Amino acid sequence: MGGCALVLFTAPSFGCGKPFNVRTQPELPPASYAAKASAGSIGIQAQAVTDEDFLYDTFDANLLLAGVLPVRVMITNSGRESVDLKNARFEMRAAEGRSFKAMNERQAFKRLVSYYEISAYSKAGYKESLEAFSAYALDVKAPVEAGQSRQGLVFFSMPSQASRGAGLALVVSKLDSAHPASRGVELKLN
């Protein structure tokens, strides 16, 4: 019998991948915090992350081109009581005085997806990429206990050319309502 069988192979992974292959969070490379400040018993160190090779290797994307400046921040509590960071505000100021607001990790991730015009991915892949991306963010939800430090990335929405400019300053305010002396600091990043 001369029959012809048509075998149709469908790729179940079509549109089912992850938007980005973000590295699961290893320890970040050693920081070289050039900017340091303190407010009361709270010490803050910061460093703008502008190494495009590192960003691409870590996040599978160039955050700077997408309009996202990641800033590595370390907060140290040398006091005797925990420090609540829930109300902390982070702002980036450029040399010409323009201010840029911080965005949470979900907003930064959505900015990347939009910039790269990624529209084909699975819900599970999206969630996996977002979780891996979010693991790098500075946790401001839990208090920093006495004698402890915490570090992570704070993301800022700003044009690529502004993030590469000189005169950037990180302004951190409303650090801890229980400690009025620790309300705000400014750190010159470059």
Side-chain angles (χ1 to χ4, degrees):
M1 302 195 110
C4 183
L6 175 63
V7 179
L8 181 62
F9 290 100
T10 59
S13 63
F14 177 80
C16 294
K18 298 186 291 184
F20 300 100
N21 290 315
V22 179
R23 282 190 183 178
T24 53
Q25 186 178 9
E27 289 296 314
L28 289 170
S32 57
Y33 293 115
K36 299 177 182 181
S38 62
S41 63
I42 303 170
I44 301 174
Q45 300 178 67
Q47 166 189 354
V49 181
T50 57
D51 180 344
E52 294 180 56
D53 291 332
F54 169 77
L55 293 172
Y56 191 79
D57 290 344
T58 303
F59 299 108
D60 194 28
N62 187 326
L63 280 70
L64 300 176
L65 287 178
V68 177
L69 173 65
V71 175
R72 187 171 180 179
V73 175
M74 177 181 272
I75 297 177
T76 303
N77 178 4
S78 59
R80 297 182 195 162
E81 298 174 12
S82 63
V83 173
D84 184 7
L85 300 176
K86 288 180 187 172
N87 295 322
R89 297 290 175 253
F90 298 89
E91 181 180 326
M92 186 63 60
R93 287 198 188 135
E96 74 276 0
R98 189 169 171 201
S99 294
F100 302 94
K101 300 283 184 201
M103 59 180 147
N104 66 37
E105 57 274 11
R106 181 175 294 273
Q107 293 167 321
F109 187 78
K110 285 182 178 181
R111 167 84 49 99
L112 290 177
V113 170
S114 175
Y115 175 79
Y116 283 100
E117 299 178 352
I118 298 172
S119 59
Y121 50 81
S122 70
K123 286 183 182 180
Y126 183 93
K127 183 179 177 185
E128 185 180 333
S129 289
L130 175 59
E131 286 174 359
F133 185 87
S134 296
Y136 286 90
L138 177 68
D139 178 9
V140 294
K141 294 176 182 141
V144 179
E145 298 302 324
Q148 298 293 311
S149 292
R150 178 175 303 151
Q151 67 177 333
L153 298 177
V154 177
F155 302 99
F156 293 90
S157 173
M158 59 191 302
S160 178
Q161 63 275 15
S163 66
R164 291 183 174 105
L168 292 178
L170 173 66
V171 178
V172 185
S173 59
K174 298 183 181 180
L175 284 170
D176 186 15
S177 56
H179 301 91
S182 62
R183 297 218 181 229
V185 295
E186 182 173 322
L187 296 92
K188 301 287 186 195
L189 298 181
N190 57 15

